[in-house]
Amino acid sequence: MALTANANRPEYIVQDTVLRQPVEASRHVFQGAIVGRHPATGYIRPFQVCDEAWGIAYEESDNSAGLSGDVSVRVQQHGDFVLPLPGVTVQ
C-alpha cells in the first residue's frame, strides 16, 4: 500500500548510501516510502509491482505537476530499517 503522508522509520545504519535519483512524472514520493525504479523508463516512483526495488526515500519529493526528471529525490539504499507488516498474525 502506498504512503499518503511522510513516515518516520527507525533506522539502524550499517552503511549509509544516499543517492539522488530523478522522479517519474506525476508522482509524489513521501519520506520513508519504499521506492522502485520503473523497468522501462528508469525513473523513481513509489514502489509498484514489477519495479526494481531501489531503497527508502530519504526525503519527500513532489513531482505531481512536473515531467519525468523535473524533480529528484534522495534514496537511501543501504542500512537496516524497521518496516511495518500489516495483516500478519501469529499462529
Side-chain angles (χ1 to χ4, degrees):
M1 183 170 168
L3 286 179
T4 56
N6 292 327
N8 289 321
R9 300 211 184 278
E11 56 185 83
Y12 308 97
I13 298 172
V14 174
Q15 178 183 0
D16 189 10
T17 303
V18 179
L19 301 173
R20 185 163 292 282
Q21 297 293 312
V23 177
E24 188 175 58
S26 305
R27 301 293 181 167
H28 189 148
V29 176
F30 290 98
Q31 176 185 352
I34 298 172
V35 295
R37 187 170 172 242
H38 188 285
T41 67
Y43 289 104
I44 295 297
R45 62 185 181 178
F47 185 80
Q48 295 181 14
V49 175
C50 296
D51 282 354
E52 177 184 356
W54 204 249
I56 304 287
Y58 193 75
E59 61 194 357
E60 180 180 9
S61 183
D62 188 358
N63 196 24
S64 54
L67 300 173
S68 291
D70 281 355
V71 173
S72 62
V73 63
R74 291 187 295 167
V75 177
Q76 188 168 355
Q77 293 190 306
H78 297 280
D80 295 327
F81 303 95
V82 176
L83 302 173
L85 189 56
V88 175
T89 59
V90 176
Q91 303 226 358

